[in-house]
Amino acid sequence: MLTRRQTLALGAGGLAALGAPGFALGRDEDRGPSLHALAQAKGMRFGSAVGVSPPGTISGAFHDPQYRQLLIDECGVLVHENELKWYVARPDAETFDFERADMIMDFAEENGMEMRGHTLLWHHTDWFPDWINNHDFGSRPGTEAERMLTEHVRTMVERYKGRIYSWDVVNETIDEAGRFRQTPLSRHLGEEVIDLAFHIAREADPAAELLYNDYMNWEAGYERQQEGVLRLLERLKARGAPIDGLGVQGHIGSGNYDYSTGFDTAREDTWRQFLDDVVGLDLSLSVTEFDVHDKNLPADIEIRDRKVAELGRRYLDLMFSYPQTKDLLVWGMADQYSWYQEHWVREDGVAKRPTPYDENFQPKPLRQAIADALIAAEPRP
Ligand code: XIL
């Protein structure tokens, strides 16, 4: 069996020569190659989010040694679940707190994994810390808003320069009706608050990939949001903002905003049209937060796992059919640590099953579906 380091050293060509499926690379003999090894063989990356909330909490998976081992076994990329967000890293207007973020960064580096950065500006007041929502912007509010955002983005990106290869510069600024969300910052700077974040990020680390990240999905009900995101991307490009791609969160399955939508309403044609328009703007695609919400599926585990895997496979095949898609990150690797356990709980109260591994760290059909989609993907140019 090869060590993780040897696997990495082999690279895409080496893996292909070994005929990836079924060959043990860096993990359990009978489980075959890791998801990241399968991705690498196609010039892609596979990874996951992980959080450092207090031990025992859903977003505190980092404290679980079995979970950390699973990340080492399967992933080539990690992303902070919450630790770079303003509400964790910015206790107040003057202070930056990187303690939790650095735990993940150090762990990734010690284990030869890369890191994505999520996120410099979650443009959604629900997720702003109260101190910004209540901040006194003074007599020149535009100047103060610009100063605050510039300091924040510059400090974050410079700190992790050369260590975080890709940033979700701005997250979620278009609502489901397709409208631009207002925040205390945009009230003073207008929509160009988004451009500013991109410009400062590019200046702070010219080599980092810069994405706009959002949750417009392929289910019915997201059409206006898709339209709004597309128009925003067009305006950003027209104004010369240094944006490299769109982060497609990929929280598919039962719609989070309208439970009547979901598994049966995935619309491949309108979704493809949207993605065609995005890549037509010369933007890359990344799947940044993939999971499959099983809120409305029958409780029966076999049925649920099968449906989750089938939908996941269909979605990934479509996403990977775009050569512009190089990264696949899941929003958690094991069910007990999925954010869905505490958001939009099921009416029958049973635990959800949205991730590739179950609560005993056993691979589920979704893990196989991801592996199969990676194996079926064309090598990236
Ligand atoms: C979620 C985290 O998983 C939760 O722990 C937290 O309570 C809320 O945020 N889209 C995003 C992510 O961009 O940042 C969100 O993460 C999930 C939806």
Side-chain angles (χ1 to χ4, degrees):
M1 186 158 88
L2 302 179
T3 64
R4 175 174 183 86
R5 206 166 294 283
Q6 287 166 324
T7 308
L8 291 174
L10 263 176
L15 268 174
L18 290 168
F23 192 87
L25 289 169
R27 55 195 314 280
D28 230 73
E29 211 80 41
D30 36 47
R31 284 190 200 166
S34 72
L35 292 173
H36 184 59
L38 292 173
Q40 267 191 312
K42 300 299 165 70
M44 301 169 72
R45 298 182 182 88
F46 175 83
S48 175
V50 56
V52 195
S53 293
T57 60
I58 286 171
S59 50
F62 186 78
H63 300 287
D64 181 336
Q66 275 185 283
Y67 191 83
R68 289 201 303 274
Q69 189 57 49
L70 181 59
L71 297 177
I72 293 170
D73 288 345
E74 289 279 39
C75 298
V77 190
L78 297 182
V79 63
H80 303 90
E81 184 169 358
N82 294 303
E83 290 62 23
L84 292 179
K85 294 171 182 172
W86 291 64
Y87 65 80
V88 177
R90 299 300 307 277
D92 55 53
E94 281 79 44
T95 318
F96 285 80
D97 179 354
F98 291 110
E99 197 186 332
R100 294 202 215 167
D102 282 350
M103 288 167 74
I104 302 178
M105 186 78 237
D106 294 345
F107 171 75
E109 286 179 341
E110 280 158 20
N111 291 286
M113 292 184 252
E114 296 185 273
M115 283 223 65
R116 297 202 65 249
H118 177 81
T119 167
L120 297 167
L121 178 59
W122 192 349
H123 200 255
H124 196 317
T125 40
D126 290 359
W127 301 100
F128 270 39
D130 284 345
W131 69 258
I132 309 192
N133 288 329
N134 303 325
H135 188 69
D136 175 9
F137 286 83
S139 57
R140 295 169 63 202
T143 311
E144 172 60 1
E146 187 174 335
R147 185 201 65 76
M148 264 173 65
L149 184 68
T150 302
E151 178 192 46
H152 180 84
V153 172
R154 188 173 286 153
T155 305
M156 288 275 171
V157 178
E158 279 182 353
R159 180 180 182 88
Y160 296 111
K161 185 175 181 177
R163 302 167 78 194
I164 284 184
Y165 72 92
S166 171
W167 281 97
D168 295 331
V169 178
V170 178
N171 192 39
E172 299 185 358
T173 192
I174 301 297
D175 68 15
E176 297 91 68
R179 292 172 308 217
F180 182 77
R181 281 196 183 91
Q182 291 297 344
T183 68
L185 297 177
S186 68
R187 265 193 289 282
H188 303 307
L189 293 173
E191 185 186 281
E192 295 188 14
V193 65
I194 309 299
D195 306 49
L196 179 66
F198 276 94
H199 282 289
I200 304 296
R202 176 59 34 103
E203 197 183 287
D205 186 355
E209 173 190 67
L210 305 182
L211 305 186
Y212 172 76
N213 196 52
D214 214 327
Y215 61 86
M216 62 289 125
N217 276 349
W218 69 347
E219 285 92 21
Y222 289 101
E223 296 83 354
R224 283 181 299 170
Q225 195 182 21
Q226 283 169 27
E227 180 73 16
V229 168
L230 185 63
R231 297 283 99 83
L232 173 68
L233 295 174
E234 285 169 355
R235 293 195 296 275
L236 286 170
K237 287 293 274 188
R239 293 196 293 257
I243 172 173
D244 298 311
L246 174 66
V248 177
Q249 291 186 1
H251 296 294
I252 62 164
S254 304
N256 296 345
Y257 296 90
D258 174 2
Y259 298 127
S260 64
T261 71
F263 271 76
D264 305 323
T265 64
R267 290 188 171 169
E268 295 193 12
D269 49 350
T270 50
W271 182 239
R272 269 191 193 281
Q273 184 56 56
F274 168 70
L275 297 175
D276 288 347
D277 290 341
V278 172
V279 300
L281 291 169
D282 198 24
L283 292 170
S284 70
L285 299 170
S286 291
V287 181
T288 51
E289 308 182 14
F290 178 67
D291 52 20
V292 187
H293 196 181
D294 55 331
K295 179 170 164 65
N296 291 331
L297 293 182
D300 181 279
I301 285 179
E302 222 178 289
I303 299 176
R304 230 182 332 150
D305 283 359
R306 180 170 49 77
K307 284 189 169 263
V308 161
E310 280 170 4
L311 191 77
R313 175 73 199 272
R314 227 177 99 198
Y315 179 78
L316 293 178
D317 281 348
L318 192 157
M319 293 308 298
F320 294 169
S321 74
Y322 288 83
Q324 291 87 348
T325 307
K326 294 211 176 73
D327 285 5
L328 168 61
L329 276 81
V330 295
W331 208 245
M333 284 295 289
D335 289 337
Q336 71 272 41
Y337 294 117
S338 167
W339 70 304
Y340 276 140
Q341 305 299 2
E342 51 189 2
H343 293 270
W344 306 285
V345 291
R346 285 177 61 102
E347 263 138 45
D348 59 13
V350 305
K352 292 184 190 165
R353 302 179 64 84
T355 78
Y357 279 77
D358 72 12
E359 73 278 15
N360 300 312
F361 299 100
Q362 294 306 304
K364 293 161 47 196
L366 182 59
R367 197 265 174 204
Q368 191 60 47
I370 296 172
D372 291 343
L374 289 167
I375 290 166
E378 294 291 330
R380 306 294 101 166

